[in-house]
Amino acid sequence: MLEMMISIDSLHSSDNRVMIVDACRTPIGKTGGNLSCFNETELMSIVLKEMYNRYKLDECLIDDVLIGCCFSMEPRNMAKKALIMAGLPASIPAMTINRTCASSMEAIIIGAQKIRQGESDVIISGGTENMNQNPHVMKMNIQNIRHNLKYGMPLCPEDMTEEELSDNIGKSIELMARRYSISKELQDDYAIKSHTKANRAWEKGFFNNETISIISRGNVLVERDEGIIPVINEQDILSASPLYFRDGTITKYNASSISDGASALILMSMKTALENNITPMAEVVSSALIGTSFGNMGIAAAEALHKVLKRSGIK
């Protein structure tokens, strides 16, 4: 076992360090926005075409295209369909990955592992989602119709089962906000600062190089993220009604939005980057996975962060 571990570790030479050499994305469309007319395959094809054309990469250099998608409506390898739609050579392999919310991050993890092991030199990893075209499902029974339709929210959130929480992220996070005493005021303050910073970043052009402008159907030019509130009215945010529970904390302003979009990056071994005179943007150093119950999903990122810091030896 020790000999095998040494042998595997020897593969992780400086030549096989995993570099991110470029990244791009569509603007992020809002609910019912200008990107809702594109399905997830079309959105991904726009990004893949841009990424491919930026470097004019020889098709022989691209070892794989890995695309994460949580709610793909395309049942037959959406990643390959997007690749062909983008005009990339069909000889390039592609794979669609689903690890729910972490699908596109899993695409990066798999790509990085392939490069570290010396199996690949160049991989395009990305993710895409069209939440507007995702089917809406309602469990039809008298209790749901009486409580959810008439009054808008359940009466007894504490009695929700794990199965019910798995179907509703918002309700799960509401219960976590109670457990950790995260008030509506704290969430509203964070939301106001977040929208303010996002607007400032757009005004200063921080996102210009990474964002692809799209002409939507109806000849509408989409250049920036639609979910950012352009003019912030703090009173509207502070007085917004809760979405899930009557005494809840989550509103349409401090919650993450239901969005459409796609993004991708190029992973490259250090050796290949140097050979092509490419200056890397960043290095993929380590990753970690953890599992939680549905009722604890909101803490997952923090727990994974502790694990990856310990694994990588970073303080």
Side-chain angles (χ1 to χ4, degrees):
M1 177 64 73
L2 179 60
E3 289 178 353
M4 184 177 71
M5 289 174 64
I6 293 172
S7 176
I8 291 173
D9 189 60
S10 67
L11 291 174
H12 300 168
S13 66
S14 59
D15 285 350
N16 292 342
R17 288 168 59 192
V18 183
M19 301 294 150
I20 299 173
V21 300
D22 203 355
C24 67
R25 65 179 179 89
T26 67
I28 305 302
K30 65 180 181 181
T31 304
N34 288 303
L35 298 188
S36 60
C37 55
F38 297 101
N39 62 41
E40 77 284 356
T41 310
E42 292 172 313
L43 289 169
M44 195 68 243
S45 71
I46 293 169
V47 173
L48 289 177
K49 183 176 182 179
E50 170 70 16
M51 190 63 76
Y52 187 70
N53 289 337
R54 277 190 184 187
Y55 279 90
K56 303 294 183 185
L57 289 168
D58 188 303
E59 63 181 273
C60 297
L61 279 178
I62 303 176
D63 296 297
D64 212 347
V65 172
L66 308 173
I67 304 301
C69 187
C70 184
F71 296 114
S72 178
M73 297 296 104
E74 171 53 60
R76 296 176 182 85
N77 197 359
M78 176 274 300
K80 187 71 174 184
K81 295 269 181 87
L83 181 152
I84 293 171
M85 189 181 293
L88 275 66
S91 58
I92 300 174
M95 176 171 67
T96 307
I97 297 162
N98 188 326
R99 197 189 276 276
T100 57
C101 298
S103 297
S104 55
M105 288 189 283
E106 183 68 10
I108 297 173
I109 291 171
I110 294 173
Q113 289 170 342
K114 283 173 169 282
I115 292 173
R116 286 197 190 99
Q117 292 167 3
E119 295 179 10
S120 303
D121 290 309
V122 180
I123 288 179
I124 298 178
S125 290
T128 179
E129 216 72 64
N130 185 310
M131 295 299 295
N132 276 285
Q133 294 188 18
N134 182 242
H136 287 231
V137 178
M138 177 181 291
K139 296 177 180 178
M140 298 298 289
N141 60 51
I142 297 300
Q143 287 296 102
N144 273 343
I145 292 172
R146 181 184 298 277
H147 293 168
N148 292 344
L149 292 184
K150 185 175 181 181
Y151 299 115
M153 51 194 71
L155 297 178
C156 302
E158 292 83 359
D159 296 333
M160 296 185 71
T161 65
E162 283 287 289
E163 181 185 3
E164 289 170 320
L165 287 175
S166 72
D167 288 339
N168 197 308
I169 295 173
K171 293 172 183 175
S172 173
I173 301 304
E174 273 285 18
L175 296 180
M176 289 207 69
R178 294 183 180 190
R179 190 180 312 144
Y180 289 96
S181 300
I182 303 173
S183 66
K184 179 179 181 298
E185 290 72 23
L186 187 62
Q187 294 177 57
D188 288 343
D189 179 65
Y190 190 95
I192 291 168
K193 290 177 180 176
S194 180
H195 285 283
T196 301
K197 289 178 180 179
N199 278 312
R200 190 182 303 138
W202 273 109
E203 291 162 7
K204 293 188 175 183
F206 290 165
F207 298 133
N208 291 350
N209 290 335
E210 71 181 50
T211 311
I212 311 163
S213 297
I214 297 175
I215 298 178
S216 180
R217 296 185 178 107
N219 210 32
V220 177
L221 181 63
V222 185
E223 296 182 284
R224 59 181 289 169
D225 299 329
E226 296 180 329
I228 301 168
I229 302 171
V231 180
I232 299 169
N233 185 320
E234 292 192 16
Q235 189 54 43
D236 285 348
I237 295 175
L238 297 174
S239 62
S241 300
L243 291 173
Y244 301 105
F245 304 148
R246 292 183 176 183
D247 59 346
T249 63
I250 298 176
T251 72
K252 67 177 182 180
Y253 292 113
N254 64 31
S256 58
S257 60
I258 296 174
S259 306
D260 306 324
S263 62
L265 50 78
I266 297 178
L267 297 174
M268 193 175 287
S269 66
M270 172 65 90
K271 178 176 180 290
T272 303
L274 291 174
E275 288 175 349
N276 289 274
N277 296 315
I278 296 172
T279 302
M281 298 171 62
E283 180 177 3
V284 181
V285 177
S286 185
S287 60
L289 299 172
I290 61 103
T292 69
S293 65
F294 293 121
N296 286 313
M297 63 173 298
I299 204 68
E303 296 294 342
L305 180 60
H306 290 307
K307 186 175 180 180
V308 77
L309 288 173
K310 183 177 180 181
R311 174 175 292 173
S312 61
I314 296 173
K315 300 292 186 180

